[in-house]
Amino acid sequence: QVQVQESGPGLVKPSETLSLTCAVSGYSISSGYNWGWIRQSPGKGLEWIGSIHHSGSTSYNPSLKSRVTMSVDTAKNQFSLKLNSVTAADTAVYYCARPYKSAWYGVFDIWGQGTVVTVSS
Amino acid sequence: QSVLTQPPSVSGAPGQRVTISCTGGSSNIGVGNNVHWYQQLPGAAPKLLIYTDNNRPSGVPDRFSGSKSGTSASLAITGLQAEDEADYYCQSYDSSSLSVVFGGGTKLTVL
């Protein structure tokens, strides 16, 4: 079955760049879908960061757009997130996910287990 | 402050019916954008519960149902069970900000 798995540093210093990768198994990323990143701050709700199509086209949350870059690597069957100029407010569990239907944004039905990223010096 | 507003908490006894509301505005639910619901058990990733207002993915019990009217949507859970105790989130799309938006979440306590 299709699985996604986040990986990356668990600790990032303030003002630096947070970099995460989502490895996809059981499905070829170049076959479609708008793959997404979502985060959840401690004790808070869910926040959509953005989505990337296998072609490389992106859609970002306007509140984060100036700091976010997403990319896809079809050869490695993975996609990535970079968030620059991080502050303590970016401390969260970061999830990667796939939507329920290929043409949809959001409506995620396949989620990774999440990775905790703490921003601290 | 979330674009979609949910009550922070709801509760009910086993076997009862509870509803969770999700209130949006004229640029999201009110303009006809679909509403989706997730269940998040403690320490776990969210699970898609309802999509496009009132559809259940395979494997989701029919105790869970969704509805939408005007600028609001609701999730109903009947025959409440202890394992339903979780956080529930609504989600839609905001046509003004061109963004996927979530509600702030509702914690369901089974008494």
Side-chain angles (χ1 to χ4, degrees):
Chain A
Q1 79 270 27
V2 182
Q3 293 183 312
V4 295
Q5 177 68 59
E6 310 87 355
S7 63
L11 182 63
V12 182
K13 290 182 168 55
S15 80
E16 295 191 344
T17 296
L18 178 160
S19 296
L20 297 175
T21 296
C22 182
V24 180
S25 59
Y27 184 84
S28 173
I29 203 169
S30 36
S31 294
Y33 286 91
N34 295 293
W35 304 84
W37 288 99
I38 305 97
R39 71 180 183 179
Q40 186 169 30
S41 301
K44 300 288 180 62
L46 302 167
E47 181 180 32
W48 175 71
I49 300 171
S51 295
I52 183 164
H53 189 256
H54 71 91
S55 64
S57 66
T58 55
S59 180
Y60 297 147
N61 186 324
S63 68
L64 297 169
K65 188 173 183 177
S66 63
R67 299 194 291 129
V68 171
T69 303
M70 293 183 185
S71 60
V72 63
D73 186 335
T74 54
K76 293 183 178 180
N77 214 38
Q78 63 187 32
F79 59 103
S80 299
L81 166 70
K82 290 187 186 299
L83 180 66
N84 60 37
S85 304
V86 298
T87 69
D90 295 309
T91 294
V93 177
Y94 285 76
Y95 295 98
C96 61
R98 192 189 83 166
Y100 188 59
K101 294 191 178 181
S102 62
W104 288 2
Y105 279 98
V107 205
F108 301 107
D109 76 319
I110 295 175
W111 294 69
Q113 65 185 29
T115 188
V116 177
V117 178
T118 301
V119 178
S120 176
S121 55
Chain B
Q1 191 78 0
S2 301
V3 173
L4 305 178
T5 301
Q6 299 179 234
S9 63
V10 297
S11 63
Q16 284 190 333
R17 177 181 186 271
V18 296
T19 61
I20 298 173
S21 62
C22 174
T23 303
S26 57
S27 61
N28 40 72
I29 301 176
V31 80
N33 291 334
N34 292 320
V35 178
H36 323 283
W37 292 89
Y38 298 86
Q39 176 193 62
Q40 186 175 34
L41 297 172
K47 169 190 173 183
L48 183 64
L49 206 59
I50 298 287
Y51 67 95
T52 55
D53 303 336
N54 56 14
N55 295 282
R56 289 183 306 276
S58 174
V60 174
D62 60 6
R63 300 188 298 106
F64 295 90
S65 63
S67 62
K68 187 178 76 175
S69 179
T71 59
S72 295
S74 290
L75 172 70
I77 310 172
T78 59
L80 206 56
Q81 300 178 4
E83 56 260 37
D84 297 333
E85 189 160 287
D87 294 324
Y88 293 83
Y89 294 90
C90 61
Q91 182 221 307
S92 185
Y93 184 80
D94 192 274
S95 299
S96 175
S97 62
L98 303 180
S99 178
V100 172
V101 290
F102 287 95
T106 298
K107 181 175 182 58
L108 169 63
T109 300
V110 180
L111 302 171

